[in-house]
Amino acid sequence: ERKKSRRYENAKKAMAFDEHDKVLFPRTDLKQFPRYQQAVRTVAKLKKHIAERRRDNLHKLTTRLVKDYDTIAVENLSVKNMMKNHHLSASIANASWGTLISQLKYKCAWYGKRLIIIDPKNTSRICHECKQKNHEFDSLSQSEWLAAREWDCPNCHAHLDRDVNAAKNILAKGLETLA
Ligand SMILES: [Zn+2]
């Protein structure tokens, strides 16, 4: 991307010089800059490879999960959080999460496994040990909240890993729907 934008700037500059110097055949089109065009092709190729590898990894992961487990509980995509988040990486992560869930859906159907999709509400804020919601999180900004990877429960003082705690809550919530 850096090289592409450098080539782009150079081409723009060359076109401006051509115009300014009133050369006989001024270059006016980016198509006339092979080095820029090559950079465009290279960036497109690399992006395609990255997308293919991501899709491939997602397939490997979902196949393994469905083969290894009879019941899988996952959080549904939170539309509210998605709207709130304008960061590119977050929107890519959201898109991947949607793909992951749709793959789990049809693969669970293939293999006769059970998929439970639960509402993500508060799964990261409730302590799985004592089931109390941590209200210290209420005052945090979005970025402070996302940065909180580990926390201590103000109620029972358990030391919790954010993702592991959320996963346990998701599983418990999922299993409740079966009872
Ligand atoms: Zn607790």
Side-chain angles (χ1 to χ4, degrees):
E1 284 287 3
R2 267 204 304 275
K3 193 181 245 181
K4 186 175 114 181
S5 66
R6 198 165 67 230
R7 298 274 190 251
Y8 176 82
E9 295 304 327
N10 287 344
K12 282 280 171 195
K13 246 182 255 168
M15 285 192 278
F17 273 119
D18 282 2
E19 196 189 349
H20 179 265
D21 296 341
K22 308 239 180 295
V23 298
L24 196 52
F25 299 106
R27 290 164 292 180
T28 56
D29 192 336
L30 283 170
K31 289 200 177 72
Q32 292 165 283
F33 295 86
R35 281 149 74 80
Y36 170 68
Q37 294 301 329
Q38 180 56 53
V40 169
R41 283 194 294 274
T42 303
V43 167
K45 197 167 85 183
L46 288 173
K47 279 190 175 157
K48 196 169 151 238
H49 283 175
I50 290 166
E52 278 166 0
R53 194 163 57 203
R54 183 176 288 139
R55 209 188 48 187
D56 201 49
N57 285 338
L58 214 50
H59 268 297
K60 280 185 188 142
L61 172 67
T62 52
T63 298
R64 203 183 71 219
L65 287 172
V66 173
K67 283 188 171 171
D68 286 357
Y69 300 99
D70 294 332
T71 301
I72 299 169
V74 290
E75 279 190 343
N76 202 356
L77 255 184
S78 164
V79 177
K80 207 177 75 199
N81 287 342
M82 210 163 54
M83 308 280 269
K84 230 187 281 176
N85 226 317
H86 303 294
H87 299 293
L88 185 63
S89 60
S91 62
I92 290 170
N94 276 329
S96 294
W97 189 249
T99 310
L100 181 122
I101 289 181
S102 71
Q103 287 180 8
L104 285 176
K105 272 185 193 163
Y106 69 74
K107 287 179 188 181
C108 277
W110 285 351
Y111 293 95
K113 301 297 181 78
R114 185 189 283 128
L115 178 67
I116 307 165
I117 299 172
I118 64 123
D119 179 354
K121 194 163 189 282
N122 291 332
T123 48
S124 299
R125 294 167 191 258
I126 291 170
C127 164
H128 82 269
E129 299 278 358
C130 68
K131 312 295 176 205
Q132 295 301 305
K133 189 173 166 186
N134 182 353
H135 289 284
E136 288 174 7
F137 290 140
D138 296 352
S139 56
L140 297 186
S141 71
Q142 174 88 347
S143 58
E144 284 172 328
W145 160 237
L146 289 175
R149 305 310 310 170
E150 290 176 28
W151 49 283
D152 292 308
C153 174
N155 184 53
C156 76
H157 309 292
H159 183 72
L160 306 163
D161 175 284
R162 179 206 182 97
D163 293 334
V164 173
N165 178 62
K168 287 177 177 169
N169 285 333
I170 292 162
L171 180 62
K173 236 177 165 180
L175 295 176
E176 265 172 33
T177 68
L178 299 178

